Amino acid sequence: MSELAREAIVLNMGPHHPSTHGVLRLMVELEGEVILRAEPVIGYLHTGFEKEMETRTYHQNIVFPPRIEYLATMIEEHAYVLAVEKLLGIRPPRRAEIIRIILAELSRIASHLVWLGTSAIDVNVTSLLMYCFNDRERILDLFEAVSGQRMMHGYMRIGGLQWDIPEEFPARVREVVEEIPRRLEEYERLLSDNLIWRQRTEGVAVLTRQDALRYGCTGPIGRGSGLNYDVRKAFPYGGYEEYDFDVPLGRRGDAYDRYLVRMEEMRQSCRIIRQALDRLEPGPVLIDDRKVALPPRRELVRSMEAVIHQFKLVSEGIHPPPGQVYAAVESPRGEKGYFVVSDGSNRPVRVRVRAPSFHNLQALPVMLFRNYVADVVVAIASIDIVLGDVDR
Amino acid sequence: MTDRREEVAQAFRGLAEEEVRFRDELTLLVSRDSIRDALVRARDLGFLMLTDLTAVDRHPAEPRFEVVYLLTALDPPARLRLAMRLPGGDPTVPTAVEVYPGANWLEREVYDMFGIRFLGHPDLKRILMPDDWEGHPLRKDYPLVEEPVQFFGHTPKPPSAIIPRTPPRKD
């Protein structure tokens, strides 16, 4: 080894590499195949949503959140709507809250299924992608039954929901929720004790609890490192305090622990959905405040008041009191927050999206230090980044 | 939660210029010179996680920029927001990277979008925009370029002009 010169080479991974889950470019400095330094380069998917949201009214902005993080769409809408509701100081009716929780948890399962399929394909378990997308399609069918859209729903409204769920919806959800844990067991049989899977993920991309805290990593990344922080438990929103569920924690903070945490999270989501279905009771799904929500159609033919309210809402929008609020939800990637600043007019002065992937990606160089090149792919997969969420 | 908020407000009595309580959130207004002390004090109080660091452009009001630090304590759960106003002519802030390492990218993003410079930051360069981009997109005086849909004989309004901005309500 002595007469051979050791020198570091710089390797660009991405932005077209299939394992970068979008458009991420990684500049990796290598010595042999050991990583000395890694620097993520982002911004290839920067769309300018925050600027865009300053030029629309609060109601028009509902279409943007699902396009920011396009895998967990309902959770995203939930976050934005909660922020505006907090600004107005209102709470939606109970039935709307329960339906929102059902949809948000279904969204979490769908997102984790995509993560499972794509991270499996990153270590060449190709068949799993098909199974996972098959299951996810069933969940998207449920969303379509509710909102008419597979992915970009625009179903939640400030103060409730667009309309009520169809009659047969709870039965269909129950069917899916019964089915999914059985499927998950099958996938775990395929992966958990699989020698290749374990060797590729155990001890790879280790993040200590201390580092997770310092870099603000939340969600399965932080919990995989043993950081006991779940927004649903710490700062309950939208009625989550009534539900009984556990928060899985990892110990070693490697990619395998994150996999276990996410698998357990899906089961807990099924548990929450079952409880929510039992609590479903008839009632209104939109708040009865004419300054916030549109009046029902049947009133428009009878009452002049309703026509005026509708006209005001459509032509101007709502006028929240001046102030700034921050509302966060637990997305599949961590803490998703919306920081909304209002000056009392019908448009927000500033909408800031607190993107969990952005923070988690920042810790990637820490995770990769002294790992091998082949582990980069596993590390990116275990973070479960969505580049739309990173770049906004 | 409530007693904790009072305790935090009590701890910042000397540093904070103003306390804003809105929708049970506590915002402390801190001056530029004391932001470092405020961050260190918050960390020692148990606010170990920097959840978000962002800025608000209050153009044409003066002081123009407001830098916002959102801090989270995990056990017991609590949130605290520190806000700091900056003049538009000289938007420089001491960096928070030594106190919270996670502030690195967030400060780069604020610099990229607002042109606020963080003194002492290890690597202050653009993060979302290309390196050679001119201007700072999230400033209010940076125009939003929109293209109305093209029809023959009729040009509809651009999307942001469909519902005009209304002044703040007095009701």
Side-chain angles (χ1 to χ4, degrees):
Chain A
M1 200 63 216
S2 56
E3 61 267 22
L4 286 176
R6 299 168 68 95
E7 57 170 324
I9 61 162
V10 176
L11 179 76
N12 267 308
M13 285 190 77
H16 53 272
H17 193 280
S19 78
T20 50
H21 293 234
V23 277
L24 166 73
R25 175 166 146 235
L26 262 178
M27 290 167 70
V28 197
E29 200 173 296
L30 301 169
E31 189 186 84
E33 57 173 344
V34 179
I35 294 168
L36 297 180
R37 218 166 52 84
E39 193 190 342
V41 182
I42 61 172
Y44 292 94
L45 208 57
H46 178 61
T47 325
F49 281 117
E50 292 178 8
K51 181 91 177 169
E52 201 87 46
M53 280 166 121
E54 290 168 13
T55 63
R56 308 275 204 281
T57 65
Y58 288 90
H59 266 299
Q60 285 174 306
N61 279 342
I62 291 175
V63 302
F64 290 115
R67 285 166 177 79
I68 291 176
E69 194 181 333
Y70 36 78
L71 289 182
T73 45
M74 282 289 187
I75 292 181
E76 209 67 11
E77 280 177 37
H78 197 182
Y80 173 72
V81 165
L82 276 170
V84 180
E85 279 167 4
K86 194 170 180 178
L87 189 61
L88 292 160
I90 56 174
R91 249 191 111 152
R94 191 174 154 75
R95 181 178 170 87
E97 279 194 340
I98 293 171
I99 294 172
R100 278 180 186 184
I101 283 178
I102 293 173
L103 293 171
E105 294 303 324
L106 281 173
S107 213
R108 189 185 316 278
I109 296 170
S111 169
H112 278 338
L113 282 170
V114 173
W115 162 81
L116 183 64
T118 50
S119 68
I121 218 169
D122 284 344
V123 291
N124 277 332
V125 191
T126 40
S127 52
L128 198 57
L129 184 76
M130 305 299 158
Y131 303 150
C132 288
F133 265 73
N134 204 350
D135 291 349
R136 173 172 176 260
E137 206 56 44
R138 297 187 58 187
I139 293 175
L140 295 187
D141 282 348
L142 290 174
F143 288 157
E144 196 177 4
V146 164
S147 64
Q149 303 260 339
R150 277 174 72 251
M151 287 172 79
M152 305 298 160
H153 320 286
Y155 177 61
M156 299 194 183
R157 290 285 178 269
I158 294 157
L161 302 170
Q162 191 176 3
W163 48 56
D164 209 338
I165 50 176
E167 198 95 347
E168 73 282 4
F169 182 73
R172 285 181 66 185
V173 173
R174 213 177 275 278
E175 213 175 291
V176 169
V177 168
E178 294 303 319
E179 179 71 18
I180 281 187
R182 282 207 295 276
R183 307 290 295 246
L184 288 181
E185 254 168 56
E186 233 172 273
Y187 306 152
E188 285 206 315
R189 270 216 304 282
L190 183 67
L191 292 179
S192 285
D193 294 330
N194 182 321
L195 204 61
I196 300 173
W197 176 259
R198 287 190 78 137
Q199 281 178 350
R200 286 301 302 273
T201 54
E202 275 187 326
V204 168
V206 176
L207 186 73
T208 60
R209 185 179 181 278
Q210 194 60 34
D211 277 337
L213 202 56
R214 286 169 58 197
Y215 284 96
C217 296
T218 48
I221 307 267
R223 288 197 287 276
S225 304
L227 192 64
N228 190 359
Y229 176 59
D230 186 320
V231 184
R232 291 173 295 178
K233 288 277 189 198
F235 306 100
Y237 58 89
Y240 265 109
E241 60 276 335
E242 303 172 15
Y243 294 85
D244 177 33
F245 63 97
D246 301 328
V247 178
L249 286 182
R251 277 174 303 125
R252 288 163 303 181
D254 57 2
Y256 186 70
D257 273 12
R258 284 169 215 149
Y259 150 77
L260 289 179
V261 163
R262 286 197 179 97
M263 293 305 260
E264 187 53 40
E265 262 186 28
M266 285 194 251
R267 293 202 180 86
Q268 296 297 335
S269 288
C270 292
R271 205 171 133 195
I272 295 174
I273 294 170
R274 272 189 225 111
Q275 292 173 39
L277 285 172
D278 294 338
R279 285 175 201 196
L280 212 53
E281 54 202 29
V285 292
L286 196 58
I287 197 168
D288 198 25
D289 184 344
R290 293 283 177 265
K291 292 268 181 267
V292 175
L294 290 173
R297 288 301 297 188
R298 60 175 185 282
E299 267 186 43
L300 293 184
V301 291
R302 277 187 276 114
S303 135
M304 195 63 214
E305 283 282 305
V307 175
I308 292 167
H309 279 306
Q310 161 132 4
F311 176 76
K312 276 292 187 196
L313 278 175
V314 172
S315 66
E316 282 184 1
I318 51 175
H319 294 256
Q324 28 181 269
V325 295
Y326 174 83
V329 304
E330 179 73 25
S331 103
R333 277 150 211 87
E335 177 183 339
K336 183 86 201 194
Y338 277 77
F339 173 65
V340 183
V341 182
S342 152
D343 62 348
S345 68
N346 64 347
R347 294 181 186 181
V349 175
R350 174 100 168 89
V351 178
R352 155 78 187 173
V353 187
R354 193 273 180 192
S357 309
F358 189 79
H359 290 249
N360 296 344
L361 188 62
Q362 203 180 169
L364 184 69
V366 181
M367 292 180 205
L368 285 178
F369 184 66
R370 289 277 165 208
N371 277 319
Y372 295 109
V373 172
D375 299 338
V376 173
V377 172
V378 178
I380 294 174
S382 76
I383 294 181
D384 186 21
I385 45 171
V386 170
L387 265 299
D389 191 30
V390 175
D391 294 345
R392 294 176 311 285
Chain B
M1 274 301 278
T2 317
D3 48 327
R4 173 90 180 144
R5 227 180 352 254
E6 287 311 312
E7 176 204 327
V8 170
Q10 209 60 50
F12 278 91
R13 272 293 133 81
L15 279 173
E17 295 169 349
E18 197 184 324
E19 293 172 17
V20 183
R21 284 181 176 75
F22 180 72
R23 306 280 183 234
D24 68 25
E25 288 183 4
L26 177 67
T27 310
L28 298 171
L29 214 62
V30 186
S31 74
R32 179 167 26 177
D33 305 327
S34 52
I35 186 70
R36 285 291 295 275
D37 304 343
L39 286 169
V40 171
R41 191 174 294 188
R43 189 185 58 186
D44 296 341
L45 272 173
F47 291 93
L48 295 174
M49 194 183 268
L50 178 74
T51 301
D52 202 358
L53 192 161
T54 183
V56 180
D57 187 2
R58 303 162 65 244
H59 188 71
E62 201 49 58
R64 179 171 171 177
F65 294 110
E66 188 174 90
V67 180
V68 178
Y69 299 77
L70 186 75
L71 306 167
T72 306
L74 303 186
D75 197 21
R79 288 214 200 270
L80 168 70
R81 198 178 310 133
L82 298 174
M84 173 184 36
R85 303 245 161 113
L86 299 173
D90 168 37
T92 52
V93 190
T95 178
V97 172
E98 287 96 347
V99 191
Y100 295 101
N104 188 328
W105 276 25
L106 292 162
E107 286 179 354
R108 277 174 66 186
E109 189 187 342
V110 171
Y111 162 71
D112 190 357
M113 293 290 156
F114 291 93
I116 296 171
R117 304 193 65 83
F118 290 87
L119 300 176
H121 188 281
D123 182 19
L124 195 65
K125 59 182 186 197
R126 288 184 181 270
I127 184 166
L128 293 178
M129 287 294 181
D131 286 346
D132 54 1
W133 190 268
E134 283 182 20
H136 299 286
L138 277 179
R139 289 189 173 195
K140 290 284 181 197
D141 48 13
Y142 189 96
L144 177 74
V145 180
E146 292 178 295
E147 287 189 7
V149 190
Q150 293 293 318
F151 289 112
F152 285 113
H154 169 68
T155 311
K157 293 173 181 166
S160 63
I162 291 170
I163 300 183
R165 188 190 174 87
T166 57
R169 276 272 168 82
K170 301 279 189 293
D171 60 359

